[in-house]
Amino acid sequence: MRRRWTSVCRCLAGMGLAVLLGGCATVRYYGHVAHGEAALLLARRSIPKVLEDPRTPPALARRLELAEQARRFASDHLDLPDNRSYTSYVALDRPYVAWNVFAAPRFSVEAVPQCFPVAGCVAYRGYFREALAQQRAAMLRVQGLDVWLSPVPAYSTLGWFADPILSSMMRWDDDELAGTLFHELAHQQVYVKGDTAFNESFATFVEHEGLRQWRASRGLPPPDGRGQAMEHGFTVLVLSLRERLRQDYARPGDAAAMERRKQADIAAFRRDYAAWRDRDFPGDRRYDAWVAAPINNARLLPFGLYDQWTGAFAVLFARVDHQWPAFYRAVAAIGRLASAQRLARLQALARQGSVPGAGKT
């Protein structure tokens, strides 16, 4: 499975819609987004035409054939939207489709929110051009904020446009490619404005369960549990760091004292990581580069968003006897609740999921 800490929040959810609804204060940004989205839409080629083209490399043709099969499986077996999304292909002139800019105060682990009329408030602002993302990041750093710029290999407009498969997705393995299609189509199925953890946890559950069913339909064993276990363990370590930072920022002291505590917490995290890696996953250094790179508050923001409520959705799926239409109706009903009620409902489901046998049918 893809490691979301390297290319997280790939959904530019509602960014294109913001172009239509945005105010004059950010007209240059919306103009950039409109141009970027239009360029992608105009560059689309239907997958059948790409496959018929004798100039298409065989390796690309094989991946697109797999994507076609996964796309059909998504609608036929997972009851995900049956539309034109991910039935076309765009060969990008760059390694990623977009770049997201995250920002947090120097002594806070809370994001500086970016709000859009349709998608609600999210923790980042997306750009189709890396240079513009770098400019935005530089401006935020001048304001004294912690900043992280994250590349985005795939995206979703929540079904408002027929999103294409992108060349930036072709570097993934087969499971990553199929799982991404399930994930992005899930966003089209249910999306709650302004609740990133709900949306991403729901889509991640659909991705994982969908991938399990997809592999079974092809006579393949379940996805590798070791990789998922390591990803989960690493996420727990990062969330522990974020919580330590949160507590230390709340303690009294001047900026110099808080900076010393911040750096001490990060150093302790690196030691904890090395001990955990060598004890539980000896010889596996897949996270070493992330840990060795500079760490700040903004870089920690995406962690936990993608799996915070996956256990709750697993309980809900079991309650409806693993029937996708009933599951989506139940998820949508929770999504319509007020935020406090929605949180309480998810917490109750998650508690049941932590009890052995809970939620089973």
Side-chain angles (χ1 to χ4, degrees), residues 128-305:
F128 285 110
R129 289 171 52 194
E130 184 179 12
L132 292 179
Q134 293 283 8
Q135 290 176 17
R136 172 70 174 174
M139 182 187 72
L140 294 170
R141 290 189 186 101
V142 169
Q143 297 175 15
L145 297 171
D146 280 3
V147 179
W148 180 45
L149 193 151
S150 172
V152 180
Y155 80 110
S156 170
T157 57
L158 307 182
W160 287 81
F161 302 105
D163 301 320
I165 292 173
L166 305 166
S167 56
S168 52
M169 300 164 64
M170 293 295 102
R171 66 174 66 102
W172 293 334
D173 64 26
D174 291 351
D175 279 359
E176 290 175 294
L177 180 57
T180 295
L181 298 182
F182 303 155
H183 185 108
E184 302 299 354
L185 288 167
H187 283 308
Q188 297 185 17
Q189 187 78 0
V190 179
Y191 184 86
V192 177
K193 180 177 178 179
D195 195 335
T196 303
F198 178 94
N199 295 324
E200 295 300 344
S201 295
F202 161 68
T204 296
F205 172 79
V206 173
E207 173 186 347
H208 288 173
E209 177 60 23
L211 186 60
R212 187 192 66 77
Q213 295 185 18
W214 159 253
R215 288 181 64 89
S217 74
R218 297 166 66 84
L220 299 173
D224 173 35
R226 177 182 171 85
Q228 291 185 8
M230 193 174 187
E231 180 178 352
H232 174 73
F234 184 70
T235 298
V236 169
L237 285 174
V238 176
L239 293 177
S240 296
L241 167 61
R242 195 164 70 189
E243 185 56 31
R244 286 199 302 271
L245 289 169
R246 186 194 309 277
Q247 293 175 10
D248 278 344
Y249 293 151
R251 292 167 54 192
D254 58 16
M258 284 194 286
E259 183 63 31
R260 286 193 298 270
R261 292 196 291 262
K262 177 179 183 178
Q263 296 307 319
D265 287 340
I266 293 171
F269 161 76
R270 290 189 167 113
R271 292 192 298 271
D272 292 344
Y273 162 75
W276 165 80
R277 178 201 62 201
D278 294 342
R279 182 189 68 243
D280 295 347
F281 300 94
D284 195 328
R285 299 182 175 274
R286 71 183 71 183
Y287 294 106
D288 284 15
W290 194 98
V291 173
I295 297 173
N296 63 25
N297 298 326
R299 200 160 181 237
L300 306 178
L301 289 173
F303 283 85
L305 291 177

Side-chain angles (χ1 to χ4, degrees), residues 319-348:
R319 282 191 175 182
V320 297
D321 198 25
H322 308 93
Q323 300 300 307
W324 287 109
F327 173 67
Y328 297 140
R329 289 193 296 270
V331 171
I334 295 175
R336 288 191 293 269
L337 297 174
S339 58
Q341 294 175 301
R342 184 165 60 248
L343 176 61
R345 178 72 171 133
L346 291 170
Q347 289 173 334

